[in-house]
Amino acid sequence: LSLGVCERASNNELVKCIEDLCNKRDALQREITTEEDEKSKLQNDIRMLSERLAKINESLAKKITARNEYDKTISETENAYMKILESSQNLLTVLKRESSSIKSSPKPDL
């Protein structure tokens, strides 16, 4: 009789151990599922951010190229303007000299 009791106790203990292992496995599976879901969401976020970054890089490249063109145009325009000012100053100097020369020359007799 005691042998039967021992067998049932062992069986009950074995069943309890198996149930505990199943519960631990189920809990672990829930954690795995949760982390897989989070991983999937993060991968999607990374993909979206990578696409956004690519678009921003493309936009920046275009804007930097346009800014560089502005810089070039401004520089060329400033250089041309300085040449115009220099030519105007030279013209003014020549005009003053010629005007002075005309005033000091004798008038022809009529």
Side-chain angles (χ1 to χ4, degrees), residues 3-16:
L3 184 61
V5 171
C6 284
E7 282 181 16
R8 272 186 262 141
S10 291
N11 281 343
N12 288 342
E13 189 174 340
L14 183 59
V15 168
K16 184 181 182 295

Side-chain angles (χ1 to χ4, degrees), residues 11-28:
N11 281 343
N12 288 342
E13 189 174 340
L14 183 59
V15 168
K16 184 181 182 295
C17 284
I18 291 172
E19 287 176 351
D20 285 347
L21 289 174
C22 287
N23 288 336
K24 288 178 182 180
R25 182 207 176 276
D26 291 345
L28 187 58

Side-chain angles (χ1 to χ4, degrees), residues 43-72:
Q43 285 175 327
N44 187 54
D45 290 349
I46 289 170
R47 181 187 56 77
M48 292 173 66
L49 288 170
S50 293
E51 288 173 6
R52 185 169 173 218
L53 179 61
K55 287 179 184 176
I56 288 173
N57 281 336
E58 183 179 333
S59 174
L60 273 173
K62 288 178 183 177
K63 288 177 180 176
I64 288 170
T65 299
R67 185 204 55 206
N68 290 343
E69 286 298 316
Y70 277 120
D71 288 345
K72 180 182 173 188

Side-chain angles (χ1 to χ4, degrees), residues 2 13 19 34 46 57 75-76 78 82 93 98 105 107:
S2 72
E13 189 174 340
E19 287 176 351
T34 299
I46 289 170
N57 281 336
S75 177
E76 290 172 354
E78 286 175 339
M82 292 306 292
T93 301
E98 290 298 317
S105 67
K107 293 186 181 179

